[in-house]
Amino acid sequence: MVLKYTSKRPDEELDGIQSLEDHFKGPQPSDVLAVVVVSGHSIVESLADGARTATVRIKQIEPVSGADAQTVRTLLAERYEQRTGNAPLPLEDIAEDADELPSIPWGGDDA
């Protein structure tokens, strides 16, 4: 089954992303971290095979920034790992220890 999404946006007072319109009109806008509330919208059952398809809608959306954004990113990474079993590579640790890493000769004068 594939969960479908409606194209209806949240009601005006529940749509916090509208304040970022100018951000998304700019050249190559960066991603925006947002928290959403999703609600069930409808279920359609196929007469041919009885398969049921659910549709959800974004009920509320709020952008998150600053210190809260880091907290949300941490929660997002943890939930992703729990759901998929895929742990992110520790790239931050590698970047912090870059001075301690051995150099790799790629050819050139020493080859």
Side-chain angles (χ1 to χ4, degrees):
M1 177 180 90
V2 175
L3 191 61
K4 295 187 177 187
Y5 300 87
T6 66
S7 59
K8 183 182 184 306
R9 71 177 186 85
D11 295 335
E12 192 69 34
E13 70 277 2
L14 299 175
D15 189 357
I17 207 84
Q18 292 299 314
S19 64
L20 299 175
E21 180 181 5
D22 289 340
H23 171 79
F24 288 109
K25 286 181 179 178
Q28 298 181 331
S30 59
D31 291 348
V32 171
L33 185 63
V35 175
V36 301
V37 175
V38 178
S39 65
H41 181 67
S42 65
I43 298 173
V44 176
E45 186 170 346
S46 169
L47 294 176
D49 62 6
R52 299 174 72 188
T53 303
T55 302
V56 296
R57 72 181 274 254
I58 295 175
K59 187 174 183 179
Q60 181 176 0
I61 184 167
E62 300 295 339
V64 181
S65 60
D68 289 341
Q70 186 54 49
T71 301
V72 171
R73 287 183 194 285
T74 299
L75 289 169
L76 188 62
E78 290 171 357
R79 296 311 181 276
Y80 176 79
E81 185 175 351
Q82 288 172 0
R83 179 176 58 84
T84 66
N86 296 330
L89 295 174
L91 297 179
E92 295 81 18
D93 296 341
I94 293 171
E96 291 173 6
D97 298 335
D99 293 337
E100 299 174 19
L101 294 175
S103 61
I104 300 173
W106 295 105
D109 296 338
D110 296 334

